Every structure is written in C-alpha cells, then in structure tokens.
Amino acid sequence: MKFILYSSFLLLLAPCNAPKTSATSTAGSGNNLKTMIIGYEKTVCFGKCPAFTLTINGETNKASYKGDSNVEKMGSYEKNISDEDLAMLSEVFEKNKFFELKDEYDGAMTDLPSKYVSFSYNGKSKKIKDRHNAPAELKEIEKVLDAIADSEGWEKVKQAE
C-alpha cells in the first residue's frame, strides 16, 4: 500500500505534459529498464527484526520475495512489476545518487540487522551494506523497497513436491 501511495505521490509531482516513459527508455537517454535488477535483503538480529529478500527483475517485469523470519509473508512469493514502477525505481535510485554512495555503512554494534541493497542498471552495478549510520539518500531507497515488499498483490509460489 505504501508503494502505491509513494508511486501516486511521484505521479502528482510530474507535470501533465512530461514525456512518457517506456520499457526501453526513461527521461534520460540510453536508459534501458529491461537491464535493471534490484536486490534488497534484510538480515536477522538478536531480536525480532524482519528478515527477507526482495528481487526485482526488469527483463521479466517480476518481483520475487522470500520471507525468512518475523514477517507476515513467510516463504516465496512473486508479483508483476509494471514498466511505470520500474521507471519510478530508476528515478529513486538516480535521485538519491546510489552509485555515488559508499559501499558500506557499519558500526561496532553487532546486534543490529544488516540491509543489503544492490542495483544493476545500464551496465553499472553496485551493492551497499547498511548496518548503521547510512545517509538519508540510502534510507529513502530502502523505504521505497520496504514499501514494495509490504505492498499488495503478492502470490505464493507453489513449491514442487
């Protein structure tokens, strides 16, 4: 639900005569949404921290989610991701200068969960570890990815028996 609200908010900010985006391009030239792969993992802690993995694949327009512990959706789930959502995600990563952030934000506290955010797009790839003191830009990206993980429309993946 948060993801839908965030997407709606971004749409309200866009001017009515803004250029339309497609699966092969966004406002910038040479952007191919089909090359996008996003990974987001939250690890366990010594308490009841939610632990899950989220993957978004621009080539297949699919998102996959695997709930490990302390989450409502335990196990494997999938959902479709629209080209508009992929374009919004591209803008969020670009606006927050993901490729300019440090590779790791860590601290001495070992009981904190870690978050790993990876982004591959147009031939560039980066993975960031966030355990402590991450900047607001990375926190904004994580907030959007959490909203996707918490959104509606996930379907349980049936495991082969």
Side-chain angles (χ1 to χ4, degrees), residues 16-70:
C16 293
N17 61 353
K20 300 291 183 203
T21 60
S22 72
T24 56
S25 68
T26 59
S29 63
N31 293 331
N32 185 349
L33 296 174
K34 295 297 180 189
T35 67
M36 183 185 303
I37 298 176
I38 298 171
Y40 182 49
E41 178 185 4
K42 291 176 93 169
T43 65
V44 296
C45 64
F46 291 135
K48 296 207 177 263
C49 300
F52 65 86
T53 303
L54 171 71
T55 305
I56 299 170
N57 186 324
E59 184 174 1
T60 62
N61 284 79
K62 292 276 187 191
S64 62
Y65 173 96
K66 183 176 180 290
D68 294 316
S69 63
N70 302 309

Side-chain angles (χ1 to χ4, degrees), residues 10 41 46 66 91 95 97 116 118 142 144 161:
L10 284 177
E41 178 185 4
F46 291 135
K66 183 176 180 290
E91 291 171 14
K95 177 188 91 167
K97 299 179 167 87
Y116 296 90
S118 61
E142 292 170 351
V144 170
E161 295 181 34

